[in-house]
Amino acid sequence: MYEHQGLQDIIFIMLYGGATIFAIAACCYLLLARGAAFFPDITPPRSLRRWAAAFMASVALSHVWWVVLGIYCLTEDRLVRNIMGIMLDRITFVPLIMAVLIRMLQDRKRSLIPVALSTIPFILFSVYGIIAHDENTENYIEVYSVFIISTFIIYMVRAVIQYGKWLRDNYADLEHKEVWQSFSIMALLCIVFVIYCTNAGHIAVEYLVQLMTYIIIVFVVWRVESLQKLPISSEKDDADYTNGNQKSLNIKQLLVQHCEKTKLYLRHDLSLNYLCHAIGTNHYYLSQYFAQQGITYNTYINTLRIEHFMSIYPTMRAEYKTAQQIAEVSGFKSYSTFSAAFKRIKGQTFKEWISTLS
């Protein structure tokens, strides 16, 4: 902010300071709040809240050290000042947002060691640039930054696809569980990063960066608050139900007896693990059964729910004022989930089906 007229722009200073205070407030909230204030019925992953709080702290500190470096320290040496500021951002802000995005994936615990190791070249480039006073050091850092971000995007695309498959194999209700929306923040960061690197110092770009900071803070807090913590099936869970006669069990018969006849599928947030325990089999054999049928667990449960809904709708629409209420008693937690499942399974929208009844 010290390379342009921003220091004389009171509105920009207020925006800059406000972003710092906002980030600090978000950090304190994520660390100290006992639950999700905005989504009280959701229990977010504890580790995700801590990583998100660390990210918020890095956002606030970034605003602080750019001011300190630009106004109070190294005011006569622009190159060293910029290298130090950029390095501090790259070894805090960048790896922490990566950690937050990775921790949103709950199908398995992914190591963050590669993320930590990716910061080492930033430090080495910076040390070299400061010692050699090389004007090209900033370019080296930016090129490596693009490489790291591109590599991470490729990794996350694959990881999110795998995560989506895991969700559909294990959960009937995907609301508050999917994380593909999180890519919007990554795209936002990449766009701002490219714009800032090519136009650093321009007052319009600095305004844009600060506005994006507010958006990023709101998005991360919302995403952390709205993401439900999911249990991961363990090998012990599978072993508890494994025995010599397991392969001979008729999974279809067990499902009919313990899920379809008892209407267990009407239970909200019914997971594959819960169904395994209910029918007396394990995760591996039940997953294998669905794979042999060419369906996912999500499709199986929601098909039963849709069929149940269609069977009771004609007689219950007089008792219930809205289709949403009937969808809820049919096992769906929200109308949006019901609507999406209805179209995917029946090949037509709910409204189109209603028109056929008329």
Side-chain angles (χ1 to χ4, degrees):
M1 61 177 288
Y2 45 78
E3 294 184 333
H4 53 67
Q5 61 271 34
L7 291 174
Q8 286 74 46
D9 189 332
I10 186 63
I11 297 178
F12 176 79
I13 293 176
M14 292 175 62
L15 193 66
Y16 192 92
T20 307
I21 296 172
F22 194 28
I24 295 173
C27 175
C28 294
Y29 167 73
L30 291 170
L31 283 177
L32 302 178
R34 294 187 176 182
F38 304 104
F39 300 90
D41 58 328
I42 294 176
T43 303
R46 185 66 179 172
S47 64
L48 177 60
R49 292 181 70 93
R50 291 170 180 166
W51 282 108
F55 169 71
M56 295 302 170
S58 74
V59 173
L61 288 172
S62 176
H63 282 66
V64 172
W65 61 56
W66 276 108
V67 172
V68 172
L69 291 173
I71 299 178
Y72 302 105
C73 303
L74 303 171
T75 56
E76 303 300 325
D77 196 334
R78 173 191 170 280
L79 177 62
V80 174
R81 178 183 62 194
N82 282 359
I83 290 176
M84 289 188 64
I86 293 172
M87 179 195 68
L88 290 171
D89 280 347
R90 299 299 187 272
I91 65 175
T92 55
F93 184 92
V94 173
L96 284 171
I97 191 60
M98 289 181 179
V100 169
L101 291 170
I102 291 174
R103 280 291 176 258
M104 289 180 186
L105 306 175
Q106 302 181 67
D107 53 335
R108 59 186 174 86
K109 190 171 183 178
R110 291 172 167 82
S111 175
L112 297 177
I113 294 178
V115 174
L117 293 177
S118 69
T119 63
I120 295 177
F122 287 125
I123 299 173
L124 297 178
F125 280 132
S126 301
V127 172
Y128 162 78
I130 292 173
I131 295 175
H133 217 268
D134 188 346
E135 294 284 347
N136 294 316
T137 302
E138 291 182 53
N139 294 331
Y140 301 151
I141 294 176
E142 302 309 342
V143 169
Y144 179 68
S145 299
V146 172
F147 169 75
I148 287 296
I149 293 174
S150 301
T151 303
F152 185 68
I153 289 176
I154 294 172
Y155 168 80
M156 284 297 293
V157 167
R158 182 183 178 190
V160 171
I161 292 174
Q162 292 175 338
Y163 184 68
K165 182 180 183 303
W166 177 79
L167 284 178
R168 285 162 180 78
D169 287 343
N170 290 274
Y171 293 93
D173 302 292
L174 302 182
E175 189 179 23
H176 304 312
K177 298 177 178 67
E178 293 186 296
V179 298
W180 60 266
Q181 307 96 325
S182 304
F183 269 102
S184 60
I185 190 174
M186 189 182 298
L188 187 64
L189 284 170
C190 290
I191 293 172
V192 173
F193 176 76
V194 172
I195 293 174
Y196 187 76
C197 289
T198 54
N199 299 275
H202 291 215
I203 184 64
V205 175
E206 297 292 344
Y207 263 101
L208 175 63
V209 169
Q210 298 312 311
L211 291 174
M212 291 299 101
T213 301
Y214 284 92
I215 294 174
I216 291 170
I217 292 172
V218 171
F219 180 90
V220 171
V221 172
W222 168 81
R223 181 66 277 192
V224 171
E225 290 276 284
S226 63
L227 188 64
Q228 178 65 49
K229 181 181 179 180
L230 304 177
I232 302 176
S233 63
S234 65
E235 294 180 1
K236 183 179 182 301
D237 293 333
D238 284 353
D240 289 341
Y241 286 95
T242 302
N243 56 63
N245 299 320
Q246 185 68 60
K247 291 186 178 179
S248 64
L249 289 177
N250 190 330
I251 300 295
K252 182 177 181 179
Q253 183 180 354
L254 290 174
L255 287 172
V256 171
Q257 181 180 353
H258 298 289
C259 180
E260 297 175 21
K261 287 186 178 181
T262 62
K263 296 184 179 180
L264 181 65
Y265 55 84
L266 299 180
R267 177 188 174 98
H268 289 168
D269 281 328
L270 180 64
S271 68
L272 182 67
N273 284 341
Y274 188 93
L275 183 59
C276 287
H277 286 267
I279 70 174
T281 187
N282 68 28
H283 188 280
Y284 171 78
Y285 289 113
L286 190 54
S287 297
Q288 189 178 58
Y289 168 78
F290 288 132
Q292 291 171 348
Q293 302 301 309
I295 61 174
T296 64
Y297 168 74
N298 178 271
T299 301
Y300 170 72
I301 294 297
N302 283 334
T303 298
L304 293 175
R305 290 174 174 176
I306 293 296
E307 295 293 342
H308 180 81
F309 173 89
M310 295 174 70
S311 67
I312 67 174
Y313 181 79
T315 56
M316 297 188 68
R317 57 181 173 178
E319 178 182 351
Y320 291 90
K321 296 184 182 299
T322 66
Q324 181 175 353
Q325 292 174 311
I326 303 178
E328 185 175 349
V329 298
S330 299
F332 293 98
K333 292 189 67 175
S334 71
Y335 183 78
S336 60
T337 301
F338 158 75
S339 180
F342 194 100
K343 184 175 182 180
R344 184 176 65 254
I345 293 169
K346 293 301 178 181
Q348 61 180 337
T349 65
F350 168 68
K351 291 183 178 180
E352 290 172 340
W353 177 73
I354 287 293
S355 66
T356 62
L357 292 182
S358 301

